[in-house]
Amino acid sequence: MKAHMDRPYVIINAAMSVDGKISSVGNDSRLSSKHDLVRVHRLRSMVDAVMVGINTVLIDNPMLNVRYVEGREGSNPSRVVVDSHARISPTSKIMSTCKSIPTIIAVSEHADQARVERLRGMGATVIVVGRDRVDLRMLLKWLRGMGIGKVLVEGGGELNWSLLKEGLVDELMVTVVPVVLGGRDAKTLVEGEGFLRVEEGRRLMLIDVNRMHGNGEVILHYKVLNSNI
Ligand SMILES: NC(=O)C1=CN([C@@H]2O[C@H](COP(=O)(O)OP(=O)(O)OC[C@H]3O[C@@H](n4cnc5c(N)ncnc54)[C@H](O)[C@@H]3O)[C@@H](O)[C@H]2O)C=CC1
Ligand SMILES: Nc1nc(O)c(N)c(N[C@@H]2O[C@H](COP(=O)(O)O)[C@@H](O)[C@H]2O)n1
Protein backbone atom coordinates (compact mmCIF):
# COMPACT_ATOMS: atom_id res chain seq x y z
CA MET A 1 0.00 0.00 0.00
CA LYS A 2 2.26 2.79 -1.22
CA ALA A 3 1.28 6.21 -2.51
CA HIS A 4 2.14 6.97 -6.13
CA MET A 5 4.32 9.89 -7.16
CA ASP A 6 1.38 11.98 -8.34
CA ARG A 7 -1.54 10.70 -6.31
CA PRO A 8 -2.38 8.84 -3.10
CA TYR A 9 -3.06 5.11 -2.93
CA VAL A 10 -6.84 4.80 -3.45
CA ILE A 11 -9.13 2.12 -1.99
CA ILE A 12 -12.86 1.93 -2.70
CA ASN A 13 -14.97 0.28 0.01
CA ALA A 14 -18.71 -0.33 -0.17
CA ALA A 15 -21.48 -2.67 0.91
CA MET A 16 -23.88 -4.01 -1.70
CA SER A 17 -26.79 -6.40 -2.01
CA VAL A 18 -26.35 -9.62 -3.98
CA ASP A 19 -27.94 -7.81 -6.94
CA GLY A 20 -25.33 -5.05 -6.79
CA LYS A 21 -27.30 -2.24 -5.12
CA ILE A 22 -25.58 0.07 -2.66
CA SER A 23 -28.91 1.52 -1.53
CA SER A 24 -32.58 0.70 -1.89
CA VAL A 25 -35.01 2.68 -4.08
CA GLY A 26 -35.98 4.38 -0.82
CA ASN A 27 -32.38 5.58 -0.38
CA ASP A 28 -31.70 3.22 2.52
CA SER A 29 -28.01 2.34 2.40
CA ARG A 30 -27.66 0.71 5.84
CA LEU A 31 -26.73 -2.61 4.37
CA SER A 32 -23.93 -4.15 6.35
CA SER A 33 -23.68 -5.46 9.90
CA LYS A 34 -22.04 -3.83 12.92
CA HIS A 35 -19.16 -6.31 12.47
CA ASP A 36 -18.60 -4.99 8.97
CA LEU A 37 -18.81 -1.38 10.11
CA VAL A 38 -16.11 -2.12 12.71
CA ARG A 39 -13.94 -3.33 9.81
CA VAL A 40 -14.74 -0.14 7.88
CA HIS A 41 -13.80 2.03 10.85
CA ARG A 42 -10.53 0.10 11.19
CA LEU A 43 -9.89 0.90 7.52
CA ARG A 44 -10.71 4.55 8.17
CA SER A 45 -8.20 4.55 11.01
CA MET A 46 -5.46 3.37 8.63
CA VAL A 47 -5.89 6.01 5.91
CA ASP A 48 -5.15 9.72 5.69
CA ALA A 49 -8.46 10.73 4.11
CA VAL A 50 -11.98 9.44 3.47
CA MET A 51 -13.62 10.65 0.26
CA VAL A 52 -17.29 10.71 -0.79
CA GLY A 53 -19.42 12.23 -3.55
CA ILE A 54 -21.87 15.03 -2.73
CA ASN A 55 -24.96 12.85 -3.33
CA THR A 56 -23.82 10.55 -0.57
CA VAL A 57 -23.52 13.52 1.76
CA LEU A 58 -26.92 14.95 0.75
CA ILE A 59 -28.66 11.57 1.18
CA ASP A 60 -26.81 9.94 4.10
CA ASN A 61 -25.55 12.95 6.04
CA PRO A 62 -22.50 10.90 7.11
CA MET A 63 -19.96 11.73 9.78
CA LEU A 64 -17.06 9.74 8.28
CA ASN A 65 -15.05 9.63 11.50
CA VAL A 66 -13.52 6.72 13.42
CA ARG A 67 -15.98 5.63 16.13
CA TYR A 68 -15.98 1.86 16.42
CA VAL A 69 -12.24 1.33 16.89
CA GLU A 70 -9.43 3.32 18.49
CA GLY A 71 -8.18 5.86 15.95
CA ARG A 72 -4.51 6.28 15.00
CA GLU A 73 -3.14 8.48 17.80
CA GLY A 74 -6.75 9.24 18.62
CA SER A 75 -7.23 11.20 15.42
CA ASN A 76 -9.61 11.01 12.46
CA PRO A 77 -8.68 10.97 8.78
CA SER A 78 -9.43 14.11 6.80
CA ARG A 79 -12.75 14.13 4.98
CA VAL A 80 -12.92 15.00 1.31
CA VAL A 81 -16.24 15.82 -0.38
CA VAL A 82 -16.41 15.93 -4.19
CA ASP A 83 -18.93 18.73 -4.60
CA SER A 84 -18.72 20.64 -7.93
CA HIS A 85 -21.30 23.29 -6.97
CA ALA A 86 -20.61 23.61 -3.24
CA ARG A 87 -24.02 22.13 -2.43
CA ILE A 88 -23.05 20.70 0.97
CA SER A 89 -25.33 22.03 3.69
CA PRO A 90 -23.78 24.18 6.43
CA THR A 91 -25.91 22.17 8.87
CA SER A 92 -24.63 18.78 7.67
CA LYS A 93 -22.73 16.65 10.19
CA ILE A 94 -19.55 17.10 8.16
CA MET A 95 -19.75 20.92 8.15
CA SER A 96 -20.87 21.03 11.78
CA THR A 97 -17.69 19.22 12.82
CA CYS A 98 -15.20 20.71 10.37
CA LYS A 99 -13.43 22.70 13.07
CA SER A 100 -12.38 19.51 14.85
CA ILE A 101 -11.93 17.16 11.86
CA PRO A 102 -9.99 18.44 8.81
CA THR A 103 -12.50 18.80 5.98
CA ILE A 104 -11.76 19.45 2.32
CA ILE A 105 -14.54 20.42 -0.06
CA ALA A 106 -13.46 20.05 -3.71
CA VAL A 107 -15.48 22.31 -6.01
CA SER A 108 -15.37 23.41 -9.66
CA GLU A 109 -15.01 26.93 -11.08
CA HIS A 110 -18.81 26.98 -11.36
CA ALA A 111 -19.36 26.88 -7.61
CA ASP A 112 -21.12 29.92 -6.21
CA GLN A 113 -18.52 32.18 -4.57
CA ALA A 114 -20.77 33.14 -1.66
CA ARG A 115 -21.34 29.47 -0.82
CA VAL A 116 -17.61 28.80 -1.06
CA GLU A 117 -16.81 31.69 1.29
CA ARG A 118 -19.44 30.52 3.76
CA LEU A 119 -17.90 27.04 3.87
CA ARG A 120 -14.42 28.54 4.30
CA GLY A 121 -15.73 30.77 7.09
CA MET A 122 -16.96 27.67 8.91
CA GLY A 123 -13.49 26.12 8.82
CA ALA A 124 -13.48 23.88 5.75
CA THR A 125 -10.68 23.97 3.20
CA VAL A 126 -12.36 24.62 -0.16
CA ILE A 127 -10.27 23.92 -3.25
CA VAL A 128 -11.20 24.67 -6.84
CA VAL A 129 -10.19 21.79 -9.09
CA GLY A 130 -11.91 21.59 -12.47
CA ARG A 131 -14.04 23.79 -14.71
CA ASP A 132 -17.52 22.26 -14.83
CA ARG A 133 -17.08 19.40 -12.40
CA VAL A 134 -14.39 18.26 -10.04
CA ASP A 135 -11.29 17.02 -11.87
CA LEU A 136 -10.44 13.94 -9.81
CA ARG A 137 -6.89 13.58 -11.11
CA MET A 138 -6.19 17.19 -10.16
CA LEU A 139 -7.81 16.67 -6.76
CA LEU A 140 -5.76 13.56 -6.02
CA LYS A 141 -2.58 15.35 -7.09
CA TRP A 142 -3.42 18.20 -4.74
CA LEU A 143 -4.10 15.76 -1.87
CA ARG A 144 -0.76 14.04 -2.52
CA GLY A 145 0.94 17.44 -2.36
CA MET A 146 -0.68 17.95 1.05
CA GLY A 147 0.99 14.77 2.32
CA ILE A 148 -2.05 12.51 1.96
CA GLY A 149 -0.74 9.07 1.05
CA LYS A 150 -3.86 6.87 1.37
CA VAL A 151 -7.48 7.65 0.52
CA LEU A 152 -10.50 5.51 1.33
CA VAL A 153 -13.41 6.18 -1.04
CA GLU A 154 -16.81 5.44 0.51
CA GLY A 155 -19.10 6.04 -2.46
CA GLY A 156 -21.31 6.56 -4.07
CA GLY A 157 -21.74 4.92 -7.45
CA GLU A 158 -21.02 7.99 -9.59
CA LEU A 159 -17.77 8.79 -7.83
CA ASN A 160 -16.76 5.11 -7.98
CA TRP A 161 -17.36 5.13 -11.76
CA SER A 162 -15.35 8.30 -12.41
CA LEU A 163 -12.39 7.08 -10.41
CA LEU A 164 -12.40 3.58 -11.92
CA LYS A 165 -12.86 4.90 -15.45
CA GLU A 166 -9.90 7.21 -15.06
CA GLY A 167 -7.69 4.43 -13.67
CA LEU A 168 -7.30 6.11 -10.29
CA VAL A 169 -8.18 3.16 -8.03
CA ASP A 170 -5.76 0.63 -6.56
CA GLU A 171 -8.05 -1.63 -4.50
CA LEU A 172 -11.74 -2.44 -4.28
CA MET A 173 -13.35 -3.97 -1.18
CA VAL A 174 -16.99 -4.98 -1.41
CA THR A 175 -19.11 -6.51 1.31
CA VAL A 176 -21.78 -8.61 -0.37
CA VAL A 177 -24.80 -8.64 1.95
CA PRO A 178 -27.20 -11.60 1.61
CA VAL A 179 -30.22 -9.61 0.48
CA VAL A 180 -31.81 -8.77 -2.87
CA LEU A 181 -33.14 -5.20 -3.18
CA GLY A 182 -34.13 -4.81 -6.82
CA GLY A 183 -35.34 -1.49 -8.23
CA ARG A 184 -34.18 -0.08 -11.55
CA ASP A 185 -33.50 3.27 -9.92
CA ALA A 186 -31.68 1.89 -6.89
CA LYS A 187 -28.02 2.93 -6.92
CA THR A 188 -25.46 0.31 -7.86
CA LEU A 189 -21.82 -0.05 -6.87
CA VAL A 190 -20.69 1.65 -10.06
CA GLU A 191 -22.96 4.06 -11.96
CA GLY A 192 -21.91 6.50 -14.72
CA GLU A 193 -22.27 5.83 -18.45
CA GLY A 194 -20.49 2.48 -18.23
CA PHE A 195 -18.15 0.73 -20.64
CA LEU A 196 -19.66 -0.29 -23.99
CA ARG A 197 -17.93 -3.65 -24.20
CA VAL A 198 -16.81 -6.20 -21.63
CA GLU A 199 -13.24 -6.04 -22.92
CA GLU A 200 -13.14 -2.32 -22.05
CA GLY A 201 -14.15 -3.04 -18.44
CA ARG A 202 -11.73 -2.40 -15.61
CA ARG A 203 -10.13 -5.74 -14.77
CA LEU A 204 -9.69 -6.85 -11.16
CA MET A 205 -7.57 -9.48 -9.46
CA LEU A 206 -9.16 -11.23 -6.47
CA ILE A 207 -6.73 -11.10 -3.57
CA ASP A 208 -8.89 -12.21 -0.63
CA VAL A 209 -12.32 -13.54 0.33
CA ASN A 210 -13.61 -13.43 3.91
CA ARG A 211 -16.83 -14.61 5.49
CA MET A 212 -18.09 -12.36 8.25
CA HIS A 213 -18.86 -14.19 11.52
CA GLY A 214 -21.34 -16.58 9.95
CA ASN A 215 -23.92 -13.86 9.19
CA GLY A 216 -23.74 -14.51 5.45
CA GLU A 217 -21.77 -11.40 4.52
CA VAL A 218 -18.81 -12.01 2.22
CA ILE A 219 -16.02 -9.48 1.85
CA LEU A 220 -14.41 -9.51 -1.58
CA HIS A 221 -11.05 -7.82 -1.83
CA TYR A 222 -9.64 -6.99 -5.25
CA LYS A 223 -6.59 -5.31 -6.66
CA VAL A 224 -7.53 -3.09 -9.59
CA LEU A 225 -5.46 -3.89 -12.67
CA ASN A 226 -4.35 -1.60 -15.50
CA SER A 227 -4.71 1.55 -13.41
CA ASN A 228 -2.73 4.55 -14.66
CA ILE A 229 0.18 4.66 -12.28
N1 LIG B 1 -23.76 0.91 0.59
C1 LIG B 1 -22.67 1.65 0.54
O1 LIG B 1 -21.57 1.19 0.84
C2 LIG B 1 -22.78 3.06 0.13
C3 LIG B 1 -23.95 3.59 -0.41
N2 LIG B 1 -24.01 4.88 -0.84
C4 LIG B 1 -25.23 5.38 -1.45
O2 LIG B 1 -24.94 5.87 -2.75
C5 LIG B 1 -25.89 6.89 -3.09
C6 LIG B 1 -25.18 8.08 -3.70
O3 LIG B 1 -24.46 7.68 -4.84
P1 LIG B 1 -24.51 8.54 -6.19
O4 LIG B 1 -25.87 9.08 -6.40
O5 LIG B 1 -23.94 7.67 -7.25
O6 LIG B 1 -23.61 9.80 -5.92
P2 LIG B 1 -22.13 10.10 -5.36
O7 LIG B 1 -22.17 10.10 -3.89
O8 LIG B 1 -21.12 9.30 -6.08
O9 LIG B 1 -21.98 11.64 -5.81
C7 LIG B 1 -21.93 11.96 -7.20
C8 LIG B 1 -21.97 13.45 -7.40
O10 LIG B 1 -20.69 14.02 -7.10
C9 LIG B 1 -20.49 15.14 -7.93
N3 LIG B 1 -19.25 15.05 -8.71
C10 LIG B 1 -18.43 16.10 -8.96
N4 LIG B 1 -17.40 15.76 -9.71
C11 LIG B 1 -17.54 14.44 -9.97
C12 LIG B 1 -16.76 13.54 -10.72
N5 LIG B 1 -15.65 13.89 -11.35
N6 LIG B 1 -17.20 12.27 -10.79
C13 LIG B 1 -18.32 11.88 -10.14
N7 LIG B 1 -19.09 12.71 -9.42
C14 LIG B 1 -18.71 13.98 -9.33
C15 LIG B 1 -21.66 15.23 -8.89
O11 LIG B 1 -22.57 16.17 -8.37
C16 LIG B 1 -22.24 13.83 -8.84
O12 LIG B 1 -23.61 13.81 -9.14
C17 LIG B 1 -26.61 7.24 -1.82
O13 LIG B 1 -27.90 6.68 -1.86
C18 LIG B 1 -25.79 6.57 -0.72
O14 LIG B 1 -26.59 6.17 0.35
C19 LIG B 1 -22.92 5.71 -0.75
C20 LIG B 1 -21.76 5.25 -0.21
C21 LIG B 1 -21.58 3.89 0.25
N1 LIG C 1 -19.23 -0.09 4.19
C1 LIG C 1 -20.44 0.46 4.32
N2 LIG C 1 -21.48 -0.33 4.67
C2 LIG C 1 -22.70 0.19 4.73
O1 LIG C 1 -23.72 -0.61 5.05
C3 LIG C 1 -22.90 1.54 4.49
N3 LIG C 1 -24.16 2.05 4.57
C4 LIG C 1 -21.78 2.33 4.16
N4 LIG C 1 -21.96 3.64 3.94
C5 LIG C 1 -20.92 4.61 3.93
O2 LIG C 1 -20.65 5.09 5.24
C6 LIG C 1 -21.15 6.41 5.37
C7 LIG C 1 -21.75 6.63 6.74
O3 LIG C 1 -20.70 6.95 7.60
P1 LIG C 1 -20.95 7.38 9.13
O4 LIG C 1 -21.50 6.17 9.83
O5 LIG C 1 -21.94 8.50 9.13
O6 LIG C 1 -19.62 7.76 9.64
C8 LIG C 1 -22.15 6.54 4.26
O7 LIG C 1 -22.40 7.86 3.86
C9 LIG C 1 -21.42 5.80 3.16
O8 LIG C 1 -20.36 6.52 2.63
N5 LIG C 1 -20.57 1.77 4.07
Side-chain angles (χ1 to χ4, degrees):
M1 238 206 240
K2 255 179 66 186
H4 304 277
M5 289 283 281
D6 57 346
R7 66 167 175 86
Y9 194 88
V10 174
I11 304 165
I12 288 180
N13 185 82
M16 70 173 194
S17 61
V18 169
D19 52 333
K21 313 294 186 188
I22 57 170
S23 66
S24 68
V25 276
N27 282 334
D28 187 358
S29 66
R30 290 163 301 167
L31 270 149
S32 58
S33 64
K34 179 72 190 286
H35 283 304
D36 191 50
L37 293 178
V38 169
R39 181 191 62 81
V40 174
H41 283 230
R42 192 167 302 117
L43 258 180
R44 286 180 184 176
S45 76
M46 295 188 300
V47 298
D48 305 305
V50 176
M51 182 187 290
V52 289
I54 182 61
N55 288 354
T56 294
V57 176
L58 295 176
I59 293 167
D60 292 354
N61 193 15
M63 184 69 175
L64 303 178
N65 62 348
V66 178
R67 303 190 297 278
Y68 302 146
V69 297
E70 288 262 314
R72 195 175 41 185
E73 292 162 20
S75 64
N76 287 297
S78 296
R79 299 172 298 192
V80 182
V81 181
V82 176
D83 183 10
S84 304
H85 298 101
R87 287 190 292 154
I88 190 168
S89 165
T91 60
S92 61
K93 287 185 193 165
I94 288 179
M95 285 309 300
S96 309
T97 53
C98 71
K99 282 207 165 69
S100 52
I101 305 175
T103 301
I104 297 155
I105 313 292
V107 303
S108 73
E109 289 169 18
H110 282 260
D112 179 79
Q113 198 54 33
R115 293 186 76 89
V116 166
E117 289 312 325
R118 181 163 186 204
L119 300 176
R120 283 191 176 131
M122 292 182 72
T125 299
V126 182
I127 57 157
V128 182
V129 276
R131 279 190 60 184
D132 304 326
R133 74 192 312 221
V134 171
D135 181 326
L136 297 170
R137 196 174 293 277
M138 207 187 282
L139 168 61
L140 289 173
K141 190 174 178 186
W142 184 89
L143 292 171
R144 185 76 194 92
M146 297 302 288
I148 289 179
K150 282 177 224 156
V151 172
L152 178 66
V153 178
E154 292 203 44
E158 291 293 339
L159 180 61
N160 292 346
W161 161 254
S162 296
L163 289 164
L164 284 162
K165 182 183 138 217
E166 291 198 39
L168 298 171
V169 184
D170 298 287
E171 289 180 34
L172 174 63
M173 299 181 90
V174 192
T175 301
V176 183
V177 181
V179 64
V180 170
L181 291 176
R184 64 181 62 84
D185 294 327
K187 293 284 174 176
T188 63
L189 178 63
V190 182
E191 293 280 320
E193 62 265 28
F195 296 109
L196 264 185
R197 292 143 52 99
V198 173
E199 68 186 43
E200 294 166 30
R202 195 52 83 202
R203 289 281 160 186
L204 311 174
M205 182 175 77
L206 186 65
I207 50 179
D208 206 5
V209 180
N210 277 293
R211 288 175 75 137
M212 182 66 77
H213 296 283
N215 70 5
E217 289 175 342
V218 179
I219 301 145
L220 303 173
H221 188 178
Y222 297 93
K223 183 163 178 44
V224 181
L225 302 179
N226 61 33
S227 61
N228 302 341
I229 294 171

